[in-house]
Amino acid sequence: MPYDFANIEQKWQERWNESHCFESHTDPSKEKFFCLEMFPYPSGALHMGHIRNYSIGDVLARFLRKNGKNVLYTIGFDSFGMPAENAAIKYKTRPHDWTLSNIAYMTEQLKRMGYSYDWRREAITCLPEYYKWNQWIFLQMYKKGIVFQKEAPVNWCSTCGTVLANEQVVEGGCWRCGTPVTKKNLKQWFIKITDYAQELLDDIEKDLGGWPRRVRIMQTNWIGRSEGARLSFKIPELNYELEAFTTRFDTVYGITFIALAPEHELVKRMKDSMNAEDAQKLSEFVSLVSSQSSIERSDAGAEKLGFKTPFYGIHPVTGKKIPIWIANYILIDYGTGAIMGVPAHDQRDFDFCRKYDIPIIPVINPSDGTVLDGSTMTHAFEEDGIVCNSENFNGMKTSDAIKAMIDWGEKENICKREVNFKLRDWLISRQRYWGTPIPFVYCDKCGVVPVPEDQLPVRLPEDVEVKEVGHSPLLDLPEFLNTTCPHCGGPARREADTMDTFFCSSWYFDRYCSPGDDKAPFEKSDVDYWMPVDQYIGGIEHACLHLIYARFFAKFLTDIGLTKYREPFTRLLTQGMVIKDGAKMSKSLGNTVDPTEMVKKYGADTIRLFILFAAPPNNDLEWSDRNVEGAHRFLNRVWRYVEENAEALKAHGDKIIPMNAIKDSKLRELKRKIHTTIRDVTHDIYDEKQFNTAIARLMELVNAVYALNDSSADSWTLKREAVDVLLNCLSPFCPHITEELWQMLGHQNMLCLEAWPSADDESLVKDSVTIVAQINGKVRGKFERPAGMEKSELERSIMSEKMIQDRLMGHEVVKVITVPDKLVNIVIKG
RNA sequence: GCCGGGCUGGUGGAAUGGUAGACACACGGGACUUAAAAUCCCGAGGGCGUAAAGUCCGUGAGGGUUCAAAUCCCUCGUCCGGCACCA
């Protein structure tokens, strides 16, 4: 008869709830541990990826609690966002209702899994008591001068009907729906995350040692620092000084053209100074380029298009006239939106020049003595080499030349050292309804005016009908739009755009520290105590999104004195995907497994055990119904042993026999097994976060207990010790069944409050060890020897074994390597 | 193209310089049973060998360092991931 998991799990969930045992309190006298999981979007139901994420977190939270830490562990819902609007249209409901009912359902699912959350701390971002503080923080950023509006070509997704931040464009498409992103000129709200680019970069090295290397590299690439110089070209005809950024100032003598992005401000000036016919051609070129999607335009393999203007810039070093082109491959938002074209040493410029027949002048030759010829080169020479065709600098090595030439250029006022970042300012506006209203109003008299803090929150009207994708119902709500100017009291209009939902998720962990605070986003003393997060767990897909934004928030909040930590997440664990039939589980592939059904069939403990045992957390995990059965079978095996032997085990629970009082070798072996299990499981959970091997050790302990067929009193006492340790160590993984069996054995206290066992050194000592005998590195025999034998004695003892003697016959022993308690390797000749 | 991470039995995976394959799944055998399921026990990398003994091979391929390499180094293959016209 399999154990009755349904009733047992419900029983213990009720007990935990009634006893408030997972509620934590700010208490500086205790050592804290903040265990955080990426909170879910309430899409309707939990999927296996969530179950995996939260099962990992719960093991750590329960383990650390048992180890005396004051653990903060809770959950919330990242509940603003577009799917609610789409669902509202599809199901003829309101985003608000759809979202809250999803939250209710998913909360039930989470509770059914037995996660040890402090539910009082839950944060739901779509409620005014949360998003009020989004608005408040946004205003603090505005006060600090890092929030601004600008009109710029921004990423536009036509399917979602909204703009996107740079981080939300994946391979030229929208991160949610994949629609190719186009550029659109719009006036939008931005946050100057670029002010923090250097610090975001520096702190990766300095403080993120507890993060996977992969994520650190991804962020480093994303921030994309490059060092170089800024130089300028005078354009006498237009009375303009055109600036360009380069990382290769050493190739400055190789400039044969200048290229501008079609969006560059100079383009308009040029048109004004051109004859009507040419100006018309230029306009046509610019609109051709702007009609290209960002994939067509900015993919590495995309065709380069150019337009030759009648203007020239003056080379800052040689004074020569350099023709100015407009080219589709120049990006307006990197550097200055203009480049010095050096076709001999830049493949893009090379391709462009070959196409438009622009001269190519090599100024670096390969170190092997080859002399390049611009007319016959087949590709750009981008490696380091020796400078040529560059007057005084000829003969220098590239690495020296870059430095020397910039030094010289700075002295001569030709260039200026500069650092550029790939990271762009964070575009925060969204043309959506279901998000945090941006707390600004537009007044004809006073302009753009922030909503005063005492008037927050700017409430999002909930009783609306979303009619079509991409059209915010706020635009049809005069009672929302029409307001009075906080400045002059005259009529004004509210900002109808809402915030990127990544704003909500950039500080929710601070809110967890001070739930329900209505005076501030959080209480400083709470956050000072709990933050930073000691262990963060979530998917790798947020490496360059949420994890950058949240780091930026941390630095900003510290700068305005609200917090004192500069990095929010000390350690990060990125769990792999849950795979079925070789592909990521997804609705569109129809290969999902419903957690609720699985829990109904096997119980939460089984699902948790399976998902933690099947693979180490950072690997992808292949779903296997058979292995779920296997996990279930193991729990039944544990249950059966304890239940069938409950009387004997109970009768022997009043003492622990120390190792030195045990004579029988089988019993000594079990005693040792108990303590090596404690040692290894502790190490695997805390140091390695390798739960699959921790569970394997517990399975071994169960096998060892089953294997001991000895009904002496000492044997039962030991088996009782083994079972107590087993239940305690298994409880973070499978909390319900272990509580029930713990109680069955007569324990009064709840197991979740019981201290983690500690391994007793004396019980870890081995009586005898297997010594591997090798000859020339090959295993030739294994011999039992007492542990701790002295090196020379061990060597003598193994060498004198008949089997070894036979093999040494007729050979010369060259040398013997002995590793105490492990092996003897005899090196022979002949 | 650049950067990073993998590659170990039929399968998921152990082992981070010292007995390769822990633990589990699947499989085979046995016990129990009228039978089956469940359970308990046993076996198992591959080759040669009836078997035992033995012996050889074996961690993507090849080379190197070492008494000793899945583990360290070099070259290559392959798969996955990230970035990619960022001047």
Side-chain angles (χ1 to χ4, degrees), chain A residues 487-759:
Chain A
H487 225 220
C488 67
R493 191 179 161 82
R494 281 195 193 283
E495 170 66 82
D497 283 355
T498 55
M499 290 185 201
D500 182 1
T501 58
F502 280 101
F503 200 97
C504 304
S505 54
S506 293
W507 68 281
Y508 71 105
F509 37 87
D510 293 309
R511 185 70 179 174
Y512 282 171
C513 299
S514 287
D517 192 339
D518 59 359
K519 305 276 185 300
F522 46 79
E523 186 69 43
K524 186 164 191 301
S525 56
D526 289 329
V527 169
D528 284 351
Y529 173 66
W530 290 109
M531 284 297 288
V533 169
D534 296 277
Q535 181 68 59
Y536 199 17
I537 307 151
I540 186 114
E541 64 274 15
H542 284 113
C544 292
L545 289 157
H546 162 61
L547 289 171
I548 284 201
Y549 298 139
R551 291 184 59 217
F552 155 67
F553 257 61
K555 293 172 195 311
F556 170 74
L557 293 175
T558 306
D559 280 351
I560 62 169
L562 284 187
T563 56
K564 59 181 191 188
Y565 65 90
R566 291 199 80 82
E567 282 295 336
F569 315 125
T570 307
R571 274 177 295 267
L572 174 69
L573 189 156
T574 50
Q575 94 270 8
M577 294 184 296
V578 181
I579 301 279
K580 190 164 180 275
D581 310 321
K584 183 183 172 160
M585 277 191 187
S586 77
K587 277 185 204 150
S588 56
L589 288 172
N591 63 345
T592 55
V593 177
D594 178 14
T596 298
E597 255 172 59
M598 284 292 134
V599 168
K600 219 177 261 171
K601 192 163 170 195
Y602 298 104
D605 283 339
T606 293
I607 301 310
R608 295 167 56 123
L609 184 69
F610 160 74
I611 219 161
L612 294 164
F613 180 61
N618 32 357
N619 281 26
D620 284 348
L621 182 152
E622 172 80 30
W623 184 269
S624 155
D625 289 332
R626 287 204 188 274
N627 288 341
V628 175
E629 300 261 4
H632 194 56
R633 203 177 306 148
F634 170 73
L635 291 183
N636 273 304
R637 188 168 153 88
V638 172
W639 177 269
R640 206 176 307 117
Y641 189 85
V642 178
E643 194 189 36
E644 284 172 3
N645 299 292
E647 286 317 308
L649 290 167
K650 265 168 94 166
H652 293 84
D654 52 349
K655 61 169 182 176
I656 297 282
I657 314 176
M659 190 59 141
N660 63 22
I662 307 172
K663 295 287 168 282
D664 183 271
S665 69
K666 284 245 164 41
L667 298 190
R668 288 179 68 83
E669 215 176 286
L670 180 60
K671 180 80 178 179
R672 192 173 308 113
K673 186 79 197 167
I674 294 166
H675 289 269
T676 55
T677 302
I678 297 170
R679 180 193 63 195
D680 295 346
V681 171
T682 306
H683 179 259
D684 287 349
I685 294 179
Y686 188 67
D687 301 302
E688 305 290 339
K689 298 181 176 71
Q690 181 134 302
F691 305 127
N692 56 331
T693 50
I695 293 165
R697 295 291 91 80
L698 293 170
M699 288 173 167
E700 285 177 35
L701 182 58
V702 172
N703 292 343
V705 169
Y706 265 89
L708 188 67
N709 282 313
D710 177 336
S711 50
S712 68
D714 278 3
S715 161
W716 280 113
T717 306
L718 267 175
K719 285 191 272 195
R720 170 61 192 263
E721 186 188 355
V723 169
D724 278 351
V725 164
L726 169 74
L727 295 176
N728 199 346
C729 292
L730 185 60
S731 67
F733 305 97
C734 304
H736 312 87
I737 185 177
T738 47
E739 287 279 10
E740 183 70 18
L741 293 173
W742 188 253
Q743 188 187 50
M744 191 189 286
L745 290 176
H747 289 288
Q748 299 301 311
N749 290 336
M750 286 200 295
L751 181 52
C752 64
L753 301 173
E754 188 73 21
W756 188 255
S758 57

Side-chain angles (χ1 to χ4, degrees), chain A residues 96-342:
Chain A
H96 178 259
D97 300 341
W98 182 82
T99 303
L100 292 189
S101 82
N102 286 350
I103 290 175
Y105 180 70
M106 290 167 78
T107 299
E108 279 316 299
Q109 289 186 297
L110 289 168
K111 289 189 169 167
R112 183 63 191 84
M113 288 303 294
Y115 298 135
S116 58
Y117 296 131
D118 180 351
W119 283 99
R120 302 165 313 146
R121 293 178 177 271
E122 182 187 30
I124 296 175
T125 61
C126 67
L127 301 180
E129 49 271 34
Y130 188 89
Y131 69 71
K132 169 182 178 176
W133 300 110
N134 283 342
Q135 295 170 340
W136 185 86
I137 293 169
F138 192 72
L139 292 176
Q140 308 313 306
M141 291 178 168
Y142 178 73
K143 277 199 256 177
K144 200 90 209 304
I146 63 164
V147 155
F148 67 103
Q149 267 187 312
K150 79 171 170 190
E151 182 166 321
V154 292
N155 303 306
W156 174 261
C157 171
S158 55
T159 304
C160 298
T162 187
V163 299
L164 298 169
N166 232 30
E167 288 75 16
Q168 291 153 20
V169 180
V170 179
E171 284 172 14
C174 168
W175 69 303
R176 282 201 178 280
C177 66
T179 306
V181 165
T182 54
K183 290 283 179 186
K184 205 169 174 176
N185 243 325
L186 288 171
K187 191 165 192 185
Q188 299 286 293
W189 289 99
F190 289 85
I191 300 175
K192 269 193 203 168
I193 190 173
T194 50
D195 277 7
Y196 289 84
Q198 189 64 53
E199 199 190 333
L200 286 166
L201 185 67
D202 291 343
D203 292 352
I204 291 173
E205 279 309 304
K206 211 169 74 199
D207 299 321
L208 301 188
W211 284 35
R213 197 149 76 107
R214 206 172 143 204
V215 178
R216 290 184 313 195
I217 289 168
M218 284 166 77
Q219 290 212 351
T220 304
N221 291 341
W222 189 260
I223 295 167
R225 183 182 201 272
S226 53
E227 287 178 23
R230 181 183 285 241
L231 69 168
S232 60
F233 301 90
K234 290 202 167 65
I235 307 171
E237 289 170 86
L238 294 173
N239 190 25
Y240 191 89
E241 200 155 318
L242 176 68
E243 299 198 298
F245 172 74
T246 180
T247 54
R248 292 295 303 272
F249 193 71
D250 58 316
T251 64
V252 73
Y253 285 89
I255 299 175
T256 58
F257 70 102
I258 293 164
L260 304 180
E263 299 85 357
H264 198 283
E265 60 156 6
L266 183 56
V267 174
K268 193 175 170 298
R269 287 211 194 196
M270 286 176 159
K271 269 190 254 177
D272 295 343
S273 316
M274 285 159 79
N275 67 49
E277 196 185 330
D278 288 347
Q280 175 61 25
K281 279 188 192 149
L282 175 52
S283 297
E284 279 166 17
F285 177 78
V286 170
S287 56
L288 169 72
V289 173
S290 56
S291 71
Q292 291 185 307
S293 72
S294 55
I295 283 241
E296 286 171 304
R297 173 146 170 215
S298 68
D299 195 70
E303 196 192 1
K304 293 183 175 40
L305 299 175
F307 180 91
K308 188 174 185 184
T309 74
F311 302 101
Y312 292 85
I314 304 300
H315 192 294
V317 179
T318 65
K320 284 186 191 146
K321 287 167 82 179
I322 310 287
I324 301 176
W325 289 67
I326 293 163
N328 67 339
Y329 74 99
I330 310 304
L331 306 171
I332 184 61
D333 51 2
Y334 185 76
T336 63
I339 60 140
M340 61 177 222
V342 183

